[in-house]
Amino acid sequence: MDNEQLELANKRLAARDQDGDGKISLEELIEFYVNDEQLQSYFSKSDLEEMAKESFQKLDTDKSGFITINELI
Ligand SMILES: [Ca+2]
């Protein structure tokens, strides 16, 4: 995934905070990657799960266990 794709994914993610608490858990991130039609056309489900885990580590810069909208920008 190049930077442009990742940026697009993160924008889509920010719009889709599933329980609306302003934070995204690892579970929500995996759900997002695995269920995103655009990402599905590029990657397999197991790739998407791996990518979600990798992205989560990168995005959760304060290691709080949640990604907040601020961490996506
Ligand atoms: Ca965080």
Side-chain angles (χ1 to χ4, degrees):
M1 186 180 255
D2 62 28
N3 283 340
E4 205 173 298
Q5 283 176 314
L6 193 61
E7 199 178 307
L8 177 69
N10 289 342
K11 278 190 190 135
R12 291 161 68 83
L13 177 63
R16 222 194 268 196
D17 173 24
Q18 296 198 345
D19 58 10
D21 65 356
K23 297 174 180 175
I24 292 143
S25 65
L26 177 59
E27 288 71 25
E28 284 175 322
L29 190 68
I30 291 173
E31 284 275 287
F32 166 78
Y33 271 79
V34 168
N35 293 317
D36 190 279
E37 283 174 21
Q38 193 170 356
L39 295 175
Q40 280 172 356
S41 64
Y42 290 105
F43 303 103
S44 71
K45 186 169 186 270
S46 57
D47 283 348
L48 289 171
E49 284 176 356
E50 276 308 300
M51 279 163 44
K53 287 176 197 166
E54 230 174 84
S55 293
F56 194 87
Q57 304 292 332
K58 283 188 202 148
L59 289 168
D60 184 19
T61 48
D62 64 1
K63 307 290 173 214
S64 65
F66 292 96
I67 299 165
T68 57
I69 298 305
N70 287 341
E71 285 172 320
L72 289 174
I73 299 166

